[in-house]
Amino acid sequence: MTIFSKIIKGEIPCYKIAEDDNFFAFLDINPLAKGHTLVIPKIEEDYLFNLDDETLAGMIVFSKKVALAIGKTITCNRVGLTVIGLEVPHAHIHLIPITRESDMNFGNAKLKLDKEEMAEIARKIQLAFSI
Ligand code: 5GP
């Protein structure tokens, strides 16, 4: 089982944003920006582009809802979307609040946020998602 499947099952804690029958969103533990979120399918598939069309399309629509909630919560110009997937073998979309192109650079230093701040960010995005 992948580490992300364990997160979905609640066996590993996360700062959850939202879920539906097929997808799950939670804060990246090493964020490039406040509100950096991962969206994953509940089925285990390593490579995003191996997902069937319906699942991939649904994942993009779910990501849109999450991105709009991030945009309402975090001050930014846009919410950027990227796919890397070299570290965790469970397909995931990164949603990152950005103000400039370089904010999407994974070579940038990651933020060190304390648990309380991560929980507060997640709570706010969760709220924006639900209304
Ligand atoms: P990628 O596979 O796209 O190269 O990177 C995986 C991403 O997942 C990284 O940004 C990393 O910080 C995040 N990540 C890895 N393990 C965990 C985890 O256990 N919890 C959370 N919330 N994020 C994780």
Side-chain angles (χ1 to χ4, degrees):
M1 192 190 297
T2 68
I3 192 163
F4 287 172
S5 288
K6 289 182 181 169
I7 285 175
I8 292 167
K9 291 180 78 171
E11 290 174 8
I12 292 177
C14 75
Y15 300 97
K16 181 177 160 182
I17 303 294
E19 73 176 309
D20 68 7
D21 288 347
N22 301 313
F23 308 105
F24 192 96
F26 57 108
L27 293 183
D28 192 303
I29 205 69
N30 285 311
L32 276 173
K34 289 182 186 182
H36 180 167
T37 296
L38 300 175
V39 175
I40 58 178
K42 289 189 173 176
I43 57 163
E44 272 194 0
E45 168 55 52
D46 178 1
Y47 188 40
L48 187 86
F49 296 123
N50 280 342
L51 290 170
D52 64 83
D53 290 356
E54 193 183 341
T55 304
L56 180 58
M59 192 168 164
I60 295 292
V61 173
F62 186 79
S63 297
K64 171 184 168 180
K65 292 180 194 157
V66 175
L68 291 175
I70 295 170
K72 284 183 192 158
T73 307
I74 307 288
T75 305
C76 60
N77 285 348
R78 295 275 161 146
V79 174
L81 181 158
T82 196
V83 175
I84 299 181
L86 292 173
E87 187 187 318
V88 178
H90 187 135
H92 51 282
I93 287 173
H94 293 262
L95 297 175
I96 306 170
I98 55 172
T99 51
R100 61 189 76 80
E101 189 183 303
S102 59
D103 293 342
M104 294 292 289
N105 185 347
F106 276 73
N108 292 346
K110 306 298 188 297
L111 299 183
K112 289 187 175 30
L113 305 176
D114 60 34
K115 287 179 180 175
E116 287 70 26
E117 191 168 12
M118 289 288 275
E120 181 65 3
I121 292 166
R123 194 189 62 75
K124 286 182 180 162
I125 301 172
Q126 209 176 83
L127 186 66
F129 183 91
S130 67
I131 53 178

